Amino acid sequence: DIVMTQSPDSLAVSLGERATINCKSSQSVFHSSYNKASLAWYQQKPGQPPKVLISWASTRESGVPDRFSGSGSGTDFTLTISSLQAEDVAVYYCQQYYSTPITFGQGTRLEIK
Amino acid sequence: QLQLQESGPGLVKPSETLSLTCTVSGGSISSSTYYWGWIRQPPGKGLEWIASIYYTGSTFYNPSLKSRVTMSVDTSKNQFSLKLSSVTAADTSIFYCARHVLPRGYTSGSPFDYWGQGSLVTVSS
């Protein structure tokens, strides 16, 4: 199984400041046939299902604000929120869809400082 | 707009079988591209993929749960189902159904792009 490890477990950032969440996979999730990493980022707010923000490590989904960006390759990935807004308070998960079993990171709780 | 809705008992006794159904509306479950999956989330904890099924009935299970999980599909009703046997309190979770592309060999998967709202199932006597 590919183990996904996120850091930190929780993060408090001031409004308007940058938030950075890291995700490391236990093996590469780079898919050579697509020349992309099979890595997604989700946002989950209380009482709601997760919502996909980023696919292929860096492709923003339709309707996702451009303050959200993803980067990384191979085994190390980052989700960045460039200017934190109040509505960004949530738990964020990374997920690999390179191979089964599909696995998620343990989640990072983002709060306002 | 594709919608998924979970249904089933909210309370199951220990050692019994948990059964849930996901009804898909706004689109056909008989898509040549997509798999239909179950993900669970213990209250306050993270996400775990349980299993996925193709409209033909082809299934893929998480090895950690494989011995207790069965999925099925009913294309006439645009539904798919999950059975989890021999449940314990540790299986208490919110169960989500969702759509995705399953990674297969040289073919990459995709994220879970459409999700149900989730169904809380508590295991308790």
Side-chain angles (χ1 to χ4, degrees):
Chain A
D1 299 6
I2 299 176
V3 178
M4 308 299 290
T5 304
Q6 292 181 225
S7 62
D9 289 334
S10 63
L11 180 63
V13 174
S14 301
L15 289 172
E17 296 299 304
R18 178 185 300 263
T20 301
I21 299 170
N22 301 300
C23 175
K24 188 175 183 67
S25 57
S26 60
Q27 64 188 75
S28 175
V29 296
F30 182 80
H31 209 294
S32 56
S33 301
Y34 298 78
N35 199 32
K36 298 178 182 180
S38 299
L39 188 286
W41 288 97
Y42 296 84
Q43 175 192 64
Q44 187 178 32
K45 296 181 179 180
Q48 297 182 17
K51 170 189 172 184
V52 59
L53 300 175
I54 303 280
S55 59
W56 301 111
S58 61
T59 301
R60 234 181 349 262
E61 296 295 297
S62 175
V64 174
D66 61 7
R67 63 180 181 274
F68 291 91
S69 63
S71 63
S73 62
T75 61
D76 292 280
F77 303 92
T78 299
L79 174 69
T80 301
I81 307 172
S82 60
S83 177
L84 188 70
Q85 305 299 304
E87 61 265 32
D88 301 334
V89 169
V91 179
Y92 293 84
Y93 295 93
C94 61
Q95 176 228 334
Q96 64 81 17
Y97 49 92
Y98 178 82
S99 66
T100 56
I102 294 160
T103 48
F104 293 85
Q106 80 276 18
T108 295
R109 184 174 303 275
L110 178 59
E111 300 173 334
I112 305 293
K113 185 187 291 183
Chain B
Q1 173 80 356
L2 192 72
Q3 293 187 322
L4 291 80
Q5 179 66 56
E6 305 90 351
S7 58
L11 181 64
V12 180
K13 290 183 168 53
S15 79
E16 295 190 344
T17 296
L18 176 162
S19 296
L20 291 169
T21 295
C22 182
T23 301
V24 178
S25 59
S28 175
I29 202 170
S30 301
S31 162
S32 61
T33 303
Y34 294 103
Y35 277 73
W36 305 89
W38 289 97
I39 301 101
R40 71 176 180 175
Q41 184 173 39
K45 297 188 178 179
L47 301 160
E48 180 181 32
W49 171 69
I50 302 170
S52 295
I53 194 166
Y54 196 54
Y55 77 96
T56 58
S58 175
T59 52
F60 288 82
Y61 298 130
N62 190 325
S64 67
L65 294 165
K66 186 174 184 177
S67 64
R68 299 196 291 132
V69 173
T70 304
M71 279 192 73
S72 60
V73 63
D74 186 337
T75 55
S76 67
K77 295 181 178 179
N78 231 28
Q79 295 177 335
F80 60 102
S81 298
L82 172 74
K83 291 186 185 298
L84 179 65
S85 64
S86 304
V87 296
T88 69
D91 294 309
T92 294
S93 295
I94 299 171
F95 288 80
Y96 295 102
C97 57
R99 186 186 80 166
H100 72 128
V101 176
L102 190 80
R104 299 286 311 279
Y106 293 107
T107 304
S108 177
S110 79
F112 295 96
D113 56 357
Y114 286 92
W115 294 66
Q117 283 301 305
S119 178
L120 174 62
V121 181
T122 302
V123 179
S124 175
S125 55

